[in-house]
Amino acid sequence: MLKKCLENVRKTVPLVHNITNYVTVNDVANVLLACGGSPIMSDEAEDVEDITSVCGGLNINIGTLHKTSIEGMFRAGKKANELGHPVLLDPVGAGASALRTNTALDLMRELDLAVIRGNISEIKTLALGSGTTKGVDADVADAVTEEDLDEAVEFVKRFAKETGSIIAVTGAIDLVSDGEKCYVIRNGRPEMGKITGTGCQLSGMMTAYVTANPDDRLEAAAAAVCVMGLAGENGWSRMQEGDGNATYRNRIIDAIYNMTGEDLEKGADYEIR
Amino acid sequence: MLKKCLENVRKTVPLVHNITNYVTVNDVANVLLACGGSPIMSDEAEDVEDITSVCGGLNINIGTLHKTSIEGMFRAGKKANELGHPVLLDPVGAGASALRTNTALDLMRELDLAVIRGNISEIKTLALGSGTTKGVDADVADAVTEEDLDEAVEFVKRFAKETGSIIAVTGAIDLVSDGEKCYVIRNGRPEMGKITGTGCQLSGMMTAYVTANPDDRLEAAAAAVCVMGLAGENGWSRMQEGDGNATYRNRIIDAIYNMTGEDLEKGADYEIR
Amino acid sequence: MLKKCLENVRKTVPLVHNITNYVTVNDVANVLLACGGSPIMSDEAEDVEDITSVCGGLNINIGTLHKTSIEGMFRAGKKANELGHPVLLDPVGAGASALRTNTALDLMRELDLAVIRGNISEIKTLALGSGTTKGVDADVADAVTEEDLDEAVEFVKRFAKETGSIIAVTGAIDLVSDGEKCYVIRNGRPEMGKITGTGCQLSGMMTAYVTANPDDRLEAAAAAVCVMGLAGENGWSRMQEGDGNATYRNRIIDAIYNMTGEDLEKGADYEIR
């Protein structure tokens, strides 16, 4: 299944429209190319509807949110919804500023989001802010660990059910749920946190995966998480004495570029709950 | 001749003002440094006239067009024209959105462009939209191949003559013409398409080449295309097992950095029609 | 002392708010991670106060200045001042355009800047423009060399005293002064000038250093300069045949990532005047 998700990306070369931050945008583009997709970036409100119309999916990332690009997010999102394209939201920094939190919540309210992908703090912020989840603070910690895994899985499932979006929480352990099933994924390495934008890269790639696998969005989202984590492991295995986070960044993208469906099936480390 | 073009860049260190997209801008800057030029970036309308005045050439790229930067493009372009600096237009995504197409056409109308560099689809869009070329759709396909090369050369020559700009169409086969002569260049590798922004990088470098070779702009533009393609070949020859598009990106820039005039003369693969 | 400065960064993981240019921002983020800090980027006026409040220091870089982000610089700077966070100004291109020069001077007037870091031309521009220094043109050349070192040290000390900021002038020889003492630092390699943004990277890292060493800001700023220069030396020692500026960029960041306090003490090449 994961194998087929990967191969569908390489076969159909999904064109992904990205409205994303200027910090990690180049890596997002190269990761999209590495995984077999194709990137376009555009955030100008007058440009986004045309651009999203020639694409297959839309990736919205609020990492360097500007008031001028917020309008573009809504216009692109509505057009993508109209066309039936999957829309992914990466609520970078939700919880760290009112503008980010409120914009993310507004996007959730006004758009039909296929996927919301963030770290546990960002997702908790959205769950609290949207009022769909009670007692989040009480039952979900700020890191998903083996100890509190049951509660975290429960929280992610519940939030997915309530929003109607696939929820992907990434960290040391990754959780991906559509409200019914929850993938618990243990690929990856802690050193990935020393590279800027591995989360943004994953969001771009996940949009390509979901776009290329319209009938299996949950599996596709989970497959993208496994690809990223496994690339982190494979890239690390090629590190040499004296290498650091700059080289590791390149090694991970290279590993995505070279990954086959067989590699993914063999290396993916997950269970379904 | 190509050798002299390369050496003039290294000798004169042309300062290039870039109004370009935020996706590939870092690579554009590093490629400009690698080839022997020097980059400055500025797109704020109130800043661009001062900045372009201290430079030797101007590179306008509409890859992530914003309404706020369009004014900067016109103001910089007019100032550069006034000062006799060469202006290059890279019409990224012309044809994919009305804003991009119309902005590119407006820039063509209002500015004296030394060079327009794009892929065949973008250049066709401009030729159709500017009304200077008839029947483009009939006689130019969306990829330049050996089979339709004669028609493509004819189209590029005609469009160069009509616009008064050097036209550079890059793809598997690259064409560079001033309306009289057309360089047909066969350097490069298909894997370059798996790296974001090799076209943007070429536009930046080409601006440096044209700036440093004011009396031989056609040859300079063709030389830049050969450098990029040859760097793609040389960079590829250094790739190792497990490397992918991230490493290839670095290898290409490294190859530009290390290329000598002799390497270029020896490796350039072109004919003149 | 340098050792302790480095170790305090790794121990306290200072969160640095960056309002910086879109050319080198990704490298700034990865350098901040490499040195042990943590980066956040935000330049939207309505976002910056919240963001800077969760950080420990603020890095303002005017490399691609926009009118829309100027307001963000002032709002973030005032909030950071209010909270007692160190604010660093990198006046990229001051002297090259009126907008840049005036904005830098306005920032100096309205904010309490812990550090101003630039090249000698930029710093001279600010000294002349702020009217605090007389006869700068007469006694400071546009490059700091062994021959004019005495004058340059005098100039930097005087400007530091007059502004109340630590002044860091980087080039072949680097000077860092608080008005009393001046670190004269000779680490680094000329090839670093062939990589875009090593100055911006240093400003980001220096903000982390100053943030993590509140009682030793001068030493911390000097330590950051030594780290950058030493990383340039260490990175260069790993270069292989065929490598160029793209690989060198990665090697430098890798060297920062791997540098220990002992490495720094051993490799730092400085005197205090």
Side-chain angles (χ1 to χ4, degrees), chain C residues 13 35 50 53 68 74 96 113 115 132 134 142 148 191 206 208-209 212 226 252:
Chain C
V13 193
C35 79
D50 282 354
S53 298
T68 50
F74 283 98
L113 298 172
V115 190
T132 58
K134 304 242 186 296
D142 263 334
D148 63 12
E191 294 86 354
M206 193 181 281
Y209 268 69
C226 293
I252 292 174

Side-chain angles (χ1 to χ4, degrees), chain B residues 20 22 25-27 29-30 33-34 36 41-44 46-47 50-51 54 238 249-251 253-254 257-258, chain C residues 22-24 27 63-67 96-100 193-196 241-247 249-250:
Chain B
T20 188
Y22 57 83
V25 59
N26 185 268
D27 291 331
N30 275 326
L33 288 162
M41 277 66 181
S42 166
D43 60 285
E44 165 58 45
E46 292 200 21
D47 198 49
D50 282 354
I51 294 296
V54 299
R238 298 187 65 225
R249 179 256 297 264
N250 292 314
R251 292 270 176 260
I253 300 177
D254 285 354
Y257 184 89
N258 286 303
Chain C
Y22 56 83
V23 184
T24 64
D27 291 333
T64 49
L65 196 60
H66 283 100
K67 295 208 76 175
S97 80
L99 183 69
R100 290 167 191 243
K194 290 291 186 183
I195 301 168
T196 194
E241 173 97 22
D243 286 348
N245 62 335
T247 293
R249 180 256 297 262
N250 291 315

Side-chain angles (χ1 to χ4, degrees), chain B residues 15-249:
Chain B
L15 195 50
V16 174
H17 177 193
N18 300 274
I19 302 181
T20 188
N21 67 76
Y22 57 83
V23 185
T24 65
V25 59
N26 185 268
D27 291 331
V28 169
N30 275 326
V31 163
L32 272 163
L33 288 162
C35 79
S38 185
I40 302 187
M41 277 66 181
S42 166
D43 60 285
E44 165 58 45
E46 292 200 21
D47 198 49
V48 294
E49 290 170 321
D50 282 354
I51 294 296
T52 223
S53 298
V54 299
C55 292
L58 172 64
N59 171 33
I60 299 176
N61 174 307
I62 65 169
T64 48
L65 196 60
H66 284 101
K67 294 208 76 175
T68 50
S69 57
I70 292 175
E71 190 193 342
M73 293 177 179
F74 283 98
R75 286 174 69 167
K78 283 176 181 173
K79 175 59 83 174
N81 279 171
E82 204 181 302
L83 298 167
H85 299 175
V87 180
L88 180 145
L89 173 65
D90 186 337
V92 183
S97 79
L99 183 69
R100 290 166 190 243
T101 304
N102 294 335
T103 301
L105 291 170
D106 288 347
L107 289 164
M108 286 174 64
R109 260 189 298 274
E110 298 207 21
L111 300 180
D112 178 10
L113 298 172
V115 190
I116 304 172
R117 193 215 66 80
N119 64 35
I120 185 67
S121 305
E122 291 157 352
I123 299 297
K124 273 176 61 178
T125 296
L126 300 187
L128 278 166
S130 63
T132 57
T133 301
K134 305 238 185 300
V136 164
D137 266 340
D139 62 14
V140 184
D142 260 335
V144 179
T145 61
E146 299 293 349
E147 285 66 41
D148 63 12
L149 188 54
D150 288 345
E151 287 86 346
V153 167
E154 204 43 53
F155 160 68
V156 170
K157 279 188 176 177
R158 203 165 63 225
F159 190 46
K161 199 170 289 177
E162 286 165 354
T163 56
S165 304
I166 293 168
I167 302 297
V169 173
T170 54
I173 303 174
D174 308 304
L175 306 176
V176 185
S177 177
D178 63 354
E180 300 299 325
K181 290 200 285 187
C182 184
Y183 282 79
V184 177
I185 302 167
R186 292 184 179 81
N187 288 107
R189 290 192 61 92
E191 293 86 355
M192 297 173 80
K194 289 292 185 183
I195 301 168
T196 192
T198 49
C200 306
Q201 293 171 27
L202 174 54
S203 288
M205 179 160 63
M206 193 181 281
T207 310
Y209 268 70
V210 170
T211 301
N213 294 281
D215 300 330
D216 300 290
R217 286 183 175 178
L218 177 65
E219 287 69 26
V225 173
C226 292
V227 169
M228 194 75 210
L230 185 56
E233 298 170 20
N234 292 349
W236 188 259
S237 72
R238 298 187 65 225
M239 294 283 279
Q240 299 179 349
E241 173 96 23
D243 287 347
N245 61 334
T247 293
Y248 190 29
R249 179 256 297 264

Side-chain angles (χ1 to χ4, degrees), chain C:
Chain C
M1 187 62 226
L2 300 184
K3 178 173 181 289
K4 195 171 142 244
C5 290
L6 179 151
E7 289 170 352
N8 282 341
V9 176
R10 298 216 187 269
K11 200 168 61 192
T12 63
V13 193
L15 194 52
V16 175
H17 177 193
N18 300 274
I19 303 182
T20 188
N21 67 76
Y22 56 83
V23 184
T24 64
V25 59
N26 185 267
D27 291 333
V28 170
N30 275 325
V31 163
L32 273 163
L33 288 161
C35 79
S38 184
I40 302 187
M41 278 66 180
S42 166
D43 60 284
E44 164 59 43
E46 293 201 20
D47 198 47
V48 293
E49 290 170 321
D50 282 354
I51 294 297
T52 224
S53 298
V54 298
C55 292
L58 172 63
N59 171 32
I60 300 177
N61 174 307
I62 64 169
T64 49
L65 196 60
H66 283 100
K67 295 208 76 175
T68 50
S69 56
I70 293 175
E71 190 193 343
M73 294 177 179
F74 283 98
R75 287 174 68 167
K78 284 176 180 174
K79 174 59 82 176
N81 278 171
E82 203 180 302
L83 297 167
H85 299 176
V87 180
L88 181 145
L89 173 64
D90 186 337
V92 183
S97 80
L99 183 69
R100 290 167 191 243
T101 305
N102 293 335
T103 301
L105 291 170
D106 288 348
L107 289 164
M108 285 174 64
R109 260 190 297 272
E110 299 207 20
L111 301 180
D112 177 11
L113 298 172
V115 190
I116 305 173
R117 193 215 66 80
N119 63 36
I120 185 67
S121 305
E122 291 157 352
I123 300 297
K124 273 177 60 178
T125 296
L126 299 187
L128 277 166
S130 62
T132 58
T133 301
K134 304 242 186 296
V136 165
D137 268 340
D139 62 13
V140 184
D142 263 334
V144 178
T145 62
E146 299 293 350
E147 286 66 41
D148 63 12
L149 188 55
D150 288 345
E151 288 85 345
V153 166
E154 205 42 55
F155 160 68
V156 170
K157 279 188 177 177
R158 202 165 61 228
F159 190 46
K161 200 170 291 179
E162 287 165 354
T163 56
S165 304
I166 293 168
I167 303 296
V169 173
T170 54
I173 303 173
D174 309 304
L175 306 175
V176 185
S177 178
D178 63 353
E180 300 299 326
K181 290 200 284 185
C182 184
Y183 281 79
V184 177
I185 302 167
R186 292 183 178 82
N187 287 108
R189 289 192 62 91
E191 294 86 354
M192 296 172 81
K194 290 291 186 183
I195 301 168
T196 194
T198 49
C200 306
Q201 293 170 29
L202 174 54
S203 289
M205 180 159 61
M206 193 181 281
T207 309
Y209 268 69
V210 170
T211 302
N213 294 281
D215 299 330
D216 301 290
R217 286 184 175 177
L218 177 65
E219 288 67 27
V225 173
C226 293
V227 169
M228 193 76 209
L230 185 56
E233 297 169 20
N234 293 350
W236 188 258
S237 73
R238 297 188 67 225
M239 295 283 280
Q240 299 179 350
E241 173 97 22
D243 286 348
N245 62 335
T247 293
Y248 191 29
R249 180 256 297 262
N250 291 315
R251 293 271 175 258
I252 292 174
I253 300 177
D254 286 354
I256 295 170
Y257 183 88
N258 286 302
M259 195 175 295
T260 64
E262 284 74 23
D263 297 334
L264 178 59
E265 286 291 350
K266 199 174 149 194
D269 180 7
Y270 69 97
E271 55 176 316
I272 298 173
R273 292 213 184 174

